[in-house]
Amino acid sequence: MKARNLILCLAIILIISKQTYSATDSTTLNTSSITGNVTLNRNTTYILKGNNNVLNGAVLTIESGTKIFGDFNSKGTLIINRGGKIIANGNSNDPIVFTSRQPIGQRRAGDWGGIIILGRAAINTSTGLDSAEIEGFGPGLGPIYGGQPVVNNDSSGVLRYVRIEFPGVNLTGISGNEINGLTMGGVGSRTVIENVQVSYSGDDSFEWFGGNVNCKNLVSYKALDDDWDCDNGFRGRIQFGLSIRDSAIADISSSNGFEIDNNNNTPSNFNSPRTKPLFSNMTVVGPYITTTSNVNPLFQRGSHLRRNMLASIYNSILMAWKVGVRFDGSGVGNAAQSDTVQLRNNIFGGNLKLADSTGTGTFAPQSWLQKPSFGNTILAENTQVQLTNPFNIYPDVPLPANNVNYWIPLSGSPALSGSSFTNPNLNGFEVVSYRGAFGTANWTTGWTQFNPKNYEVIGINQISSNIPNNFSLKQNYPNPFNPNTIINYQLQKFSNVSLKVYDVLGNEVSTLVNQKQNAGSYEVGFNATALSSGIYFYTLKTEGFSETKRMLLVK
C-alpha cells in the first residue's frame, strides 16, 4: 500500500511538473520559419532565440498580455517578411511585452535583436533598384523589402500597445548597420502601428526604410543612437511621439532626435520616391537640463536633416539639444527656401544653439526658423517650455513607473496652444490645440514602463471591474513553477493593496503590488529567475484583510 501511494505521489508530481514547464515555451520562436497561422497566448512565456521569420502568407497572432523574452546569446530577432503578418493587438491595461531575459538590475541595451517588419510599399535606393536588403545582417544575408509588385497599401498587420525593451544589436561590426528596436522596411499604409514604446535600444528606437505606413502614439526612451530615423523614401505620417534621452547614453556615430536622409548616398542622389515624412505633435527631449550640463559629447541635434530629404515637422517641441536643427546639404537648404521642407508652429526650447547648417550656401537657418509666418516659438531655457518634470529620469523613474506625467504641460505652458492644422500637408492628422505630444491627458498611462531595468516583467493586470462579494487570494498557477507564475486576487472595495513574496525564513524577496487599487479582480505575474528552488509564501494585505498562500519553485 505504501509503495502504491508513493508511486501515485510521484506520478502526480510528474504531471504537475509537465504543466509547470509548459508555461515556458522555448521552441515556437527558436530560429523558426513560420509558414502558417501561429498564436502566442498570454498564459505562456516565450523565449525568442535566433532569427525567427514569419514568411509570405503566414500570420503570427499575439494575445494581449503576452510576454516574449529575447535571448541574449543568440540575439533573438523577430522578422515579419513581405507577405507575412503580425497581429499583436494589446490594450492599455494589458500590453504585449518584448523584453530582455536578464534579471532585474542586469538588463542592458542590446540584450536581444529586435522586431523587423517588411513590406512591398515603394522605396528608393542609392543604386536605383526598387528593392533592398534590410540593414543589420551583412551583405547577402538580410531579408528583402520593397520590390515588385509595388503595393503601397500593403498590410503587414497590427502592432498596438506593444513594448520593446533592451533590443538593438550590431551583428556586423559595421557602424550604421545594426538591428534597431523597431525596424520598418517598405511597410504599407494599411499596417497599423500605434502605442508602441521602445526602451534602451542599442541603436535607433524607430527606423523607417521607405514605405508609407502611418504611426501614432510612439515612445522612445533612453535610446543609444537616434529616436526617429527615416530614409530610403519613407513617406508616412507620424503624430504624437515622445522621446527622452539619458545624458550618459550616446552612440559613436553621434546621437540625434530626428535623423532623416533620402538614402545613404550623399550629396547628389535625388532618387524617388523621396524621403518625405510628415511629423506632428512630437516632444523630443534632449540631454541638456541646463546649458552647462555634463553631457556625453556624442550628443548632437534635435533634428539632423540631410542627403536631400524632404521631411516636415509641425506642432512639435524640440528642447535641450546641443543644436535644435541642422540643415545639411544644398538639397535640404534649397528645399527649405522653396517651402518644400517646412518646420511650422514648433517650440524650440533650451537648445544651446537654435540651428546651424553645412553645405547650404547662403541659407541662414536661424533667421529662416524665426520667420513670423512660420509660427515657431523660440525659448532660451527649458523651464520656459513648462513641462511638468521632463528630466526626472535619473537614475530611474520610481516604480511602478507606468503612470508618469513628467512631460505633460503645466497650466500656462506655451505648449497648450499655438498649433495649426490649416496646412494642406496636415490633412488626415488629428486636429488638437496643443503643441508637442500631450495636452492635459496622458496617453502613455498604464501600458508604458519608464523603469524597465528594475520592474517585474510580468506585471499587474485588472481582469475585471465587476465588484466581488469579498476579498480573496487565489492559488498561483502553474504551481510548481519555473520561473514564472500568475497570482490572482479580488478586492471588494477600493483599497491600499500590498502583495509580497517571502522565503521560508520570512525574508521578503519581492514586492509585487504596493499601491491603491479599485474594486475588481486582478492578476499579477511573478518572475523568480533570480531565486533558488524551494518553497515561497505570498501574502495579500488590505485594510482589514490578510491571507497567505504557499508556492513551489522547481528549477
Side-chain angles (χ1 to χ4, degrees), residues 137-358:
F137 296 90
L141 300 176
I144 303 298
Y145 66 103
Q148 298 295 325
V150 173
V151 185
N152 283 322
N153 67 344
D154 196 14
S155 173
S156 298
V158 177
L159 205 68
R160 181 188 283 126
Y161 289 107
V162 173
R163 295 206 309 265
I164 305 169
E165 299 166 347
F166 307 101
V169 295
N170 187 332
L171 299 178
T172 66
I174 301 171
S175 179
N177 191 4
E178 303 92 354
I179 297 176
N180 306 290
L182 177 58
T183 301
M184 293 154 279
V187 178
S189 61
R190 289 193 300 122
T191 307
V192 176
I193 297 178
E194 57 189 39
N195 297 92
V196 178
Q197 180 182 25
V198 178
S199 299
Y200 287 98
S201 176
D203 192 53
D204 303 324
S205 288
F206 298 88
E207 185 161 8
W208 294 266
F209 295 86
N212 57 352
V213 63
N214 303 315
C215 308
K216 67 178 183 179
N217 295 355
L218 307 181
V219 180
S220 170
Y221 187 64
K222 295 192 177 186
L224 178 68
D225 194 4
D226 307 315
D227 298 303
W228 321 105
D229 197 336
C230 310
D231 30 50
N232 292 90
F234 174 56
R235 308 169 309 285
R237 300 192 302 267
I238 312 298
Q239 188 173 21
F240 308 120
L242 170 67
S243 56
I244 307 299
R245 304 308 294 251
D246 187 308
S247 61
I249 302 174
D251 191 35
I252 192 171
S253 65
S254 80
S255 296
N256 306 293
F258 295 98
E259 184 176 272
I260 308 180
D261 313 306
N262 194 44
N263 55 50
N264 62 357
N265 186 307
T266 184
S268 59
N269 194 301
F270 294 87
N271 285 351
S272 63
R274 296 277 288 281
T275 298
K276 196 176 181 180
L278 303 175
F279 288 90
S280 183
N281 297 99
M282 309 293 287
T283 296
V284 183
V285 182
Y288 284 89
I289 300 175
T290 69
T291 56
T292 60
S293 294
N294 183 19
V295 170
N296 188 314
L298 294 169
F299 274 109
Q300 298 297 322
R301 308 159 191 102
S303 183
H304 190 177
L305 310 179
R306 63 183 188 176
R307 297 176 181 168
N308 306 315
M309 62 96 249
L310 298 176
S312 294
I313 303 172
Y314 306 92
N315 306 313
S316 295
I317 299 171
L318 285 81
M319 60 185 286
W321 291 92
K322 183 184 292 185
V323 178
V325 185
R326 167 162 284 190
F327 298 83
D328 191 341
S330 60
V332 174
N334 293 338
Q337 293 177 92
S338 66
D339 209 32
T340 306
V341 168
Q342 299 181 345
L343 281 79
R344 305 287 174 82
N345 301 98
N346 299 302
I347 296 174
F348 298 92
N351 299 299
L352 277 62
K353 188 175 184 179
L354 172 60
D356 65 12
S357 63
T358 181

Side-chain angles (χ1 to χ4, degrees), residues 396-413:
D396 296 293
V397 175
L399 292 171
N402 61 353
N403 184 14
V404 180
N405 295 311
Y406 296 164
W407 304 283
I408 303 296
L410 297 169
S411 176
S413 167

